[in-house]
Amino acid sequence: LKVSIIIPYKKEKWQHIKASLESILYYTPKRYLAEIMFVSDGNGPDTLYVAELQRMSRLVTIFALPPPGVGLIEAKMRAVGATSVHSTVLMFLEPHIRVNRAWLTPLLRRIRLNPQLLAMPALDPIPADDFNAYFAATAGVWRFEWNLNLVYTAPSSTLQVGKPTTPWPSPATSGGIFAIRKDWWNRLSFYDHGMIGWGGDHVEATFKVWLCGGRIE
């Protein structure tokens, strides 16, 4: 499996983008990477960072949409259409994260076992006032309340999964950070072209994956 990492960004601090990319380059085996695509959704010259990003690695590609941008969901859809022909898996990340040791291999292993899987990594929170720290997350799941509000909860069944590395199903996805096969993405026709701006993608992704025979972990 070859991966296209897709990272949308808009008016993001360079220190966050730089730290995110540094962690990806350090902790990701290069044999899995087809590219690391940064998707600029209407950034101006001060927050585009093309030269800075390209200096960090030859794996970096830039997909730049002119100002004022098209919104997060549309930007993701256009970016997928521009990914490398050599990639088979899409890995969506955000521009203010830090990946850890062996972060990608378990996701690819699960996707290899189930090509119709939407795989999410465990997310440890980073304090808003200190990008160099993090706290271990509680094992939990994403789910919807009756008004489709998305919440992260830790039911007792999740806490009894056994080893921390044992994957478990999740009723929903947050929509921001996940891995999925590119052919499964295309088969599900992500996303609805009527969605603009930010939000709603997690609802569509959740219902399409489960109702079309897939699985979320």
Side-chain angles (χ1 to χ4, degrees):
L1 298 175
K2 281 281 190 178
V3 181
S4 285
I5 294 177
I6 300 174
I7 307 176
Y9 68 104
K10 186 165 189 174
K11 297 181 180 179
E12 192 75 24
K13 292 182 179 179
W14 168 243
Q15 68 185 81
H16 292 165
I17 292 180
K18 180 174 181 287
S20 300
L21 180 55
E22 285 176 338
S23 70
I24 293 169
L25 294 172
Y26 188 79
Y27 286 120
T28 310
K30 301 302 184 292
R31 65 182 181 274
Y32 295 131
L33 291 179
E35 64 189 330
I36 305 170
M37 177 186 286
F38 282 85
V39 183
S40 170
D41 185 26
N43 284 288
D46 295 337
T47 53
L48 192 56
Y49 312 126
V50 172
E52 295 92 330
L53 286 167
Q54 291 179 334
R55 277 197 297 266
M56 292 183 67
S57 174
R58 293 181 179 179
L59 287 168
V60 170
T61 59
I62 312 293
F63 185 77
L65 296 163
V70 296
L72 177 62
I73 311 307
E74 179 68 22
K76 285 183 178 181
M77 290 191 288
R78 295 191 188 187
V80 170
T83 53
S84 169
V85 296
H86 302 292
S87 65
T88 52
V89 174
L90 308 172
M91 180 73 230
F92 292 93
L93 293 177
E94 296 183 356
H96 36 253
I97 54 93
R98 278 188 165 156
V99 301
N100 212 328
R101 298 173 183 83
W103 72 279
L104 181 61
T105 309
L107 300 175
L108 297 182
R109 184 182 301 118
R110 298 300 297 173
I111 289 175
R112 187 181 294 276
L113 292 172
N114 183 358
Q116 294 182 330
L117 179 71
L118 186 153
M120 300 180 293
L123 302 178
D124 295 326
I126 297 175
D129 59 349
D130 187 358
F131 199 66
N132 294 313
Y134 74 94
F135 303 104
T138 302
V141 298
W142 292 101
R143 65 173 179 83
F144 294 118
E145 297 179 315
W146 287 111
N147 62 356
L148 291 183
N149 182 45
L150 183 71
V151 294
Y152 185 80
T153 55
S156 58
S157 58
T158 303
L159 300 176
Q160 295 171 2
V161 294
K163 297 180 180 179
T165 54
T166 302
W168 59 87
S170 178
T173 174
S174 63
I177 297 179
F178 65 89
I180 189 172
R181 280 189 63 99
K182 190 192 293 186
D183 54 5
W184 183 226
W185 166 284
N186 290 332
R187 184 178 168 191
L188 294 172
S189 298
F190 283 168
Y191 289 106
D192 188 308
H193 286 275
M195 289 198 295
I196 59 175
W198 177 90
D201 53 325
H202 57 294
V203 178
E204 179 179 345
T206 295
F207 281 95
K208 277 189 173 180
V209 169
W210 282 115
L211 291 175
C212 295
R215 181 179 173 89
I216 300 175
E217 292 182 346

